[in-house]
Amino acid sequence: MKQGHALFVTGTDTGVGKTMVTGLLTALFAMGGYDAIPYKPVQSGGIRSDLGLVAEDVEFYRSLYPLPYDQNTLCTYCMEPALSPHLAALQTGVCIEPEHIAGHLQKLRASHDFVFVEGAGGLAVPLQEDERGIYMTVDLIERLRLPLLLVTHPGLGTINHTILTASYAQIRGIPILGIIVNRMPLAPGEMEQDNVRMISKLTELPVLGTFPEMEQKEPKALRTRLHELHKCINLALLLERLEQAEEKLMQTKGTEEH
Ligand SMILES: Nc1ncnc2c1ncn2[C@@H]1O[C@H](COP(=O)(O)OP(=O)(O)OP(=O)(O)O)[C@@H](O)[C@H]1O
Ligand SMILES: [Mg+2]
């Protein structure tokens, strides 16, 4: 019987390192003996290849950690235009159905201990615009009832980006497990150190991990560093907070159903 935990990896912006963190988490949990799988519900900027449309993020997960699954198992909607998903969907005639994603995730949860769901961009990203209105990433997270893991950067501007993202999730009642600071310089200066202290203090969230700026970021080089990277993240605290958040989400579900 699989544990079926799941969390949503979001970031303060596109390109902040969600795919890197999702891929590393999958590999690090697998190293710890868990059956973990990454999942990208919506990818825009898909790459055309002999095999059809390929989601770049999924390719990265698979190159970092051998996963015996094809693209369609790890990504529900892959669209070619490198645009906001709502526009990529409009241009390619795709209708992004939250219920379809929810069903896909449910299947993955039933057959794995952990599913790491990577969003496209940040929380305020439109996924679909139609006569019903605009469906946002934050709406999908709410529908999937997932807690968040927030990936941020340690550089200038991060206090503002991180507080805004955390506040938006909190306003929507979405639990946040904690923050992962990605691309910490090898020799952090006073600014980076103070930024990390400030975002944790202002959000009242724990920093669950800090991944360094990696000179060699090719999957092969990363694989050789997994033991060292294992020390960069507090997996025990992440698990503890995940269990607490799942309990809270179950309780709110119960309340809503009554
Ligand atoms: N710790 C790191 N050290 C060095 N380079 C990094 C690190 N993390 C991410 N990068 C690089 O930054 C770029 C963006 O990272 P990544 O693809 O993980 O971002 P993302 O948030 O998933 O972006 P998207 O919103 O497009 O999905 C990539 O080229 C990646 O190799
Ligand atoms: Mg990504």
Side-chain angles (χ1 to χ4, degrees), residues 9-22 24 40 42-44 56-57 60-61 118-122 151 181-184 211-218 222 225 229:
V9 180
T10 194
T12 49
D13 201 356
T14 188
V16 73
K18 297 181 302 292
T19 303
M20 178 67 84
V21 169
T22 305
L24 287 176
K40 180 93 181 176
V42 179
Q43 169 102 55
S44 53
E56 207 178 351
D57 290 3
F60 179 80
Y61 310 144
E118 182 188 340
V151 181
V181 179
N182 186 40
R183 308 191 75 157
M184 187 60 126
F211 287 121
E213 173 70 32
M214 287 176 279
E215 242 172 69
Q216 299 202 320
K217 51 194 183 183
E218 302 72 37
L222 292 174
R225 291 187 65 178
L229 293 170

